[in-house]
Amino acid sequence: MADLFDKVKQSVGKGLTAASIRSKEMLETAKINREIGRFQEKRRNLLEKLGNIVYTMYLHSPTFDKERIKEMCEALTRLDDQVKDKKEELERTHLKAQEALGIVMCDCGAETYKDAKFCSKCGKKIEEIAETVKGGNYSASI
């Protein structure tokens, strides 16, 4: 009877840990997505402003102010880089949560817990997946 209670206690503990990890991941993901949204909004505004400037120059000036256009294009490039960095941060956040939960990605694309015997999608032995991860040849979402 004590074994049953220990197993229940252990399962509840794992569930609470998983819920905590997932909620932290969701909060961090939401924060990063808001930052990405702000960068993308700035980018849209800057791109619209650039388009207006170029069109105005086209209509009213025999020559283009290349320096002004170049500065705005460089600002757009910086915003693109910031969005890229934030997307990479999102991926790292997800991988960190997967690792903390003990989840591996099977070759077939299914997420599986390391302590499972087989992948629920393709049936591959989890030991083989774990060895691939340890060997450093693993390029999936852990």
Side-chain angles (χ1 to χ4, degrees), residues 47-113:
L47 199 53
E48 182 179 343
K49 187 176 177 181
L50 176 63
N52 287 331
I53 289 171
V54 169
Y55 184 65
T56 302
M57 285 180 192
Y58 171 77
L59 290 176
H60 303 291
S61 176
T63 61
F64 282 86
D65 183 355
K66 290 181 183 179
E67 191 58 37
R68 188 171 179 194
I69 294 171
K70 180 181 175 188
E71 288 172 10
M72 294 187 80
C73 288
E74 288 171 350
L76 282 168
T77 302
R78 285 191 300 275
L79 285 169
D80 288 341
D81 290 342
Q82 289 173 315
V83 168
K84 180 183 173 207
D85 291 345
K86 288 297 174 183
K87 287 182 177 182
E88 289 171 356
E89 186 178 345
L90 266 179
E91 181 64 19
R92 287 190 304 273
T93 298
H94 178 68
L95 296 178
K96 186 176 168 184
Q98 297 296 80
E99 186 176 316
L101 288 169
I103 294 176
V104 295
M105 182 72 75
C106 183
D107 294 337
C108 71
E111 290 183 353
T112 308
Y113 287 97

Side-chain angles (χ1 to χ4, degrees), residues 3 9 11-12 14 23 26-27 32 39-40 42 53 68 75 79 91 99 108 111 114-117 121-122 131-132 134:
D3 281 345
K9 192 168 121 179
S11 292
V12 169
K14 281 184 179 179
S23 65
M26 285 176 44
L27 288 172
I32 295 168
F39 289 138
Q40 289 174 331
K42 285 180 183 178
I53 289 171
R68 188 171 179 194
L79 285 169
E91 181 64 19
E99 186 176 316
C108 71
E111 290 183 353
K114 286 181 185 177
D115 58 356
K117 301 278 186 209
K121 186 174 178 184
C122 72
E131 287 302 316
T132 306
K134 286 180 189 171

